Structure formats: structure tokens, C-alpha cells
Amino acid sequence: MKPFDKYIFFLIAGFILLLISSCYEPDVEEVLRPGAVIQDDKYYLGTSLSYASYLERNATDGQYFKNENGERESPFESLKKHGGNIVRLSVAFGPYTSDKAGNVSYAIDYHVFERVKEDFKKAKDAGLEVFLSILYEKGLKSEEWLKIPDGPEMEEAIYDYGKDILEKLAGENLFPTFVAIGGDYDFVASNGLFMCRLGDNDAERMVTYMNAGYRAVRDFAAKYDKKIKTVFHASKADDVVRLLGRFYTDEYALDFDVLGINYVFDTGHSAYSTLGELSVYMKLIYEKEFMVVGASFPYTNVNADKVFNIYSRMDMITYGSTYSPEVQARMFVDFTIDVLKAGGLGVIAEGGDFLGCELWFAGNPWNKGSNWDNRTFWDKDYRLHVGIDWMKYDYKPFVKRNY
């Protein structure tokens, strides 16, 4: 629907959110409810697990992921046992290298197709669904892709690349539930699928390219008779109105099913008093569904390796000044209730496995280690902690689908 008067609809969205949020007050005094493992496929709870296999495969000290009892356990199995029903994986060009990492014995390969396929199988074996992000950004800067002329040839290449990834997964009987074309679209920093290549005034061409990726997913889903939802993944709530205002006009519009958004307390949600309010806004203005695909809250303010953690703040007014896995779980519970009450499809945590280590990662050629290890569900010894148990909470009373 064309957003002809966003301000009026925004007021309506806020009013409806107020009504639905007043219908049921959450009792979150007891965050962990034993046995309340989520199995309802109408909403999704999980985390990204892009790094776990890479960490175990290359750890110099023989480190491995453990359950809460200190016993070795696949992080995919742990996620399922503690209430999760979906995992986010990202496939991209690679392997990556850096000047300092060029001489190491391992490849920075956690996003290459073969590794992602291995993790997809682990997720399936654990009984988890998969949210798959197909990331084009690095490839568009490669020598091979820079030779492709802009226009129909690039559109065809984008379509073929996405379709080929999905077809190779289908050959292993692996089918995602959600597929995001590109990721972390950022209006200010111009990050995302093709912002790294196109100028700021090429919105129409960018929409054409992005829709080629979405079309590849839809054609694939129709071929195999699968229900797969396409996702537009925005970096933060602050960018949503500006991005969609730019890519959703009378002349051209993004053809996706679900808006996915990141959330960390440090960046907030801008003009929206809650992300639930954003959910209602998307439904009323664009008739799109909404979910959080990159939520994150800290369990500690202590760094586990030599890389500085980029986010460390939390809502001390609401939760006090003590960091702990229990407080992390409570923050996730409250946040997820807010999203689900407004009709959101669910919450996927970001980087639940990005633990402190002595390994190289793409994007950081200066130091080995994680810039996210204070926000994971495993501690510095790779032992699972109770922060992950936010997924066990009984959210069924809060699920809203009608407006």
C-alpha cells in the first residue's frame, strides 16, 4: 500500500498498540519456567550460530561448546533443548583473508557455502528451522562481479546466485523457512546488498536488483512447493521509514514479505517507543509482517579476549546495574513479549555463539578475537549459561496476529 500519509497512520498504529498492550500484563517475576519449551511454529525464538563450528574447528586450545553441566554438546542441540526453534545462518562469498591472517593454517570460512551447508544439516538434525541470509556485499566488490555490467546482466547474475544456493541446499533436502537477501541495510552508512556499489541516487536500480533476489526465492519455493518468506533486513529501527520511503514508491517497490530488524540497547529504536509499535506500523502502512532477527543484550561487562566489545550498555533504570545471565534472560523475555504482543513473528538473537577466542574474523585485520563476547549464551569457558533460557518462557498468551 502506498504510504500516502504516514503521520496519520502512525498515530493509529500507536493507538492500536496501546489497546493491545493493555489487554494482558506480563508476569515476568519468574523468568525461567521449567518445561515451558516453545514448540509453537507460529512464532520463532532462536539465535544466529554462524561462528560455533568455526570456533571448534580451529581452536588452538582444544576448546569446545559445553552444556550447562560442563559436558560437550552441539550448540544446535543446546539451542533446541532450551526452547529455541530456529537458527540464523549466513552464506556469503569467501573465504576471507586479511594481511595479518594470511599466514595462518586455517581459512576464515564460516560464511562459505560448504560450511553453511554443514551447519544447516546440524540445525536440521537438532530439529531447528533455519533463517538464511544470502549476503552479496563482499562478492560485489570482487574482481569477478565487478566485470558484470549494471543493468539486466547484473539482475540476472543476482537471481542466478541466490537460486543456485537454494538449489544446492535442496539437493541435500535442506529448505529454509526465511530468506533475507542481503543484510544490515543501513541508511546512513550505506551498507547492505548493493549500497556498496551503487550511488545514493540509484534507488530504482537497487530495488530492481533486490527484487531479483526475492524473485529467486519465490521461484524456488514454488518449484518445491515450500512456504518460504522473504525478508528485508534493516540494520536498525531508525532507518526503516527512510529506507522504505526510498525503496517503496509509486514507480517501484521492494517485493518482500517480512521486515527484519536488529536491536541492541545502545542503538535503541529511535522514534518508536517500542519495537512493538514498529510492528504495528509495518502492518498498517506496508501490510508487511515483522520480526527481530538480531536482538542482543549483555550478560557481563567483562571482556573475554583482546578485542574490545563494541556494545556494553544495558537499561540500568529498569534492570539495575548488575550484569548477569539471569538479567540477560529477563531482558530478552520482556523484549520478546513486547514484540509478540504487537504481532511480531518472533525474536532471533544476534551472535549468541560469538565467544572470546584467539581466531581471526572477517572485518577485523588488526586483532584476533570477538567484539561480542559479553552478549553470548556461553561463558568465557564455552559453558552454556541461563541467559539462553529466555526461550523457555511461555509466550503463548502474548501472541497477537490480528489488528
Side-chain angles (χ1 to χ4, degrees):
M1 181 177 74
K2 176 70 174 67
F4 59 89
D5 193 336
K6 295 179 181 176
Y7 295 104
I8 293 177
F9 275 100
F10 192 75
L11 290 173
I12 296 173
F15 177 71
I16 291 177
L17 179 67
L18 179 63
L19 288 178
I20 62 177
S21 63
S22 64
C23 295
Y24 197 106
E25 289 299 321
D27 173 17
V28 292
E29 290 300 317
E30 181 63 41
V31 170
L32 311 181
R33 294 185 178 178
V37 176
I38 300 301
Q39 299 293 341
D40 190 345
D41 61 3
K42 292 183 179 179
Y43 59 100
Y44 298 88
L45 307 173
T47 183
S48 62
L49 286 178
S50 292
Y51 304 113
S53 297
Y54 174 73
L55 291 173
E56 288 195 331
R57 190 164 57 245
N58 299 301
T60 56
D61 55 0
Q63 190 62 273
Y64 52 81
F65 282 74
K66 309 175 185 70
N67 62 20
E68 62 272 32
N69 299 318
E71 302 163 337
R72 185 167 190 169
E73 183 173 76
S74 162
F76 297 88
E77 294 288 346
S78 295
L79 175 59
K80 180 65 176 179
K81 290 178 180 179
H82 288 263
N85 58 10
I86 195 165
V87 62
R88 181 181 165 215
L89 302 174
S90 299
V91 60
F93 297 81
Y96 304 112
T97 59
S98 70
D99 291 341
K100 290 188 177 182
N103 296 321
V104 299
S105 60
Y106 57 87
I108 306 175
D109 61 354
Y110 44 82
H111 282 333
V112 302
F113 175 78
E114 289 301 324
R115 296 303 190 189
V116 174
K117 182 180 71 174
E118 293 169 3
D119 284 343
F120 204 131
K121 290 180 178 179
K122 294 175 184 177
K124 182 180 179 180
D125 290 344
L128 297 167
E129 297 181 51
V130 171
F131 181 114
L132 181 68
S133 293
I134 300 179
L135 307 178
Y136 289 77
E137 294 93 311
K138 298 293 183 182
L140 291 172
K141 297 179 181 179
S142 69
E143 181 178 350
E144 177 184 357
W145 278 67
L146 287 174
K147 293 178 181 178
I148 302 174
D150 285 325
E153 289 184 56
M154 175 60 77
E155 184 179 352
E156 182 179 4
I158 291 162
Y159 177 95
D160 289 343
Y161 177 73
K163 188 78 175 299
D164 181 62
I165 286 175
L166 294 170
E167 287 286 359
K168 288 190 290 187
L169 289 172
E172 303 287 339
N173 198 29
L174 302 172
F175 297 91
T177 302
F178 298 92
V179 176
I181 297 299
D184 288 339
Y185 293 95
D186 188 309
F187 188 87
V188 176
S190 292
N191 293 328
L193 179 54
F194 304 112
M195 290 182 178
C196 62
R197 175 161 172 165
L198 302 179
D200 287 343
N201 295 322
D202 284 316
E204 183 173 2
R205 191 172 359 149
M206 184 170 174
V207 167
T208 300
Y209 290 166
M210 292 162 67
N211 282 346
Y214 293 136
R215 189 170 66 255
V217 178
R218 289 201 173 91
D219 289 350
F220 170 81
K223 175 181 177 180
Y224 291 95
D225 193 25
K226 298 291 183 181
K227 293 181 179 180
I228 303 175
K229 294 186 176 182
T230 55
V231 180
F232 175 69
H233 179 185
S235 178
K236 52 185 180 293
D238 187 35
D239 285 339
V240 171
V241 173
R242 289 179 295 178
L243 283 170
L244 294 184
R246 179 184 177 192
F247 300 142
Y248 215 95
T249 72
D250 286 333
E251 291 76 30
Y252 50 86
L254 290 175
D255 186 19
F256 65 95
D257 301 314
V258 180
L259 170 71
I261 198 79
N262 293 345
Y263 179 83
V264 294
F265 178 75
D266 298 63
T267 59
H269 31 59
S270 187
Y272 306 99
S273 60
T274 66
L275 278 183
E277 187 175 303
L278 173 57
S279 175
V280 177
Y281 170 80
M282 288 303 299
K283 192 70 173 180
L284 288 176
I285 304 299
Y286 294 100
E287 298 180 345
K288 304 294 184 183
E289 295 179 293
F290 168 84
M291 69 188 302
V292 177
V293 300
S296 182
F297 298 96
Y299 81 93
T300 181
N301 60 352
V302 177
N303 195 24
D305 56 27
K306 298 177 182 178
V307 176
F308 179 75
N309 290 320
I310 57 176
Y311 297 122
S312 60
R313 295 173 57 231
M314 72 174 189
D315 181 1
M316 293 186 179
I317 295 176
T318 304
Y319 300 101
S321 59
T322 301
Y323 291 76
S324 72
E326 290 79 9
V327 172
Q328 181 191 41
R330 186 181 179 89
M331 289 188 287
F332 264 107
V333 168
D334 292 346
F335 177 77
T336 303
I337 287 172
D338 181 38
V339 172
L340 293 176
K341 284 172 67 176
L345 297 179
V347 173
I348 301 175
E350 174 71 24
D353 61 336
F354 198 4
L355 307 186
C357 60
E358 290 291 324
L359 295 175
W360 292 104
F361 288 88
N364 182 8
W366 302 281
N367 293 293
K368 293 185 287 185
S370 166
N371 61 9
W372 205 261
D373 56 61
N374 61 327
R375 314 179 79 84
T376 59
F377 299 128
W378 289 262
D379 64 21
K380 62 182 180 63
D381 297 317
Y382 287 45
R383 183 168 179 159
L384 192 71
H385 61 67
V386 299
I388 198 172
D389 283 337
W390 66 274
M391 301 180 204
K392 285 187 175 182
Y393 192 83
D394 182 10
Y395 296 101
K396 293 178 183 178
F398 308 102
V399 176
K400 308 290 182 182
R401 286 291 181 266
N402 299 316
Y403 294 88

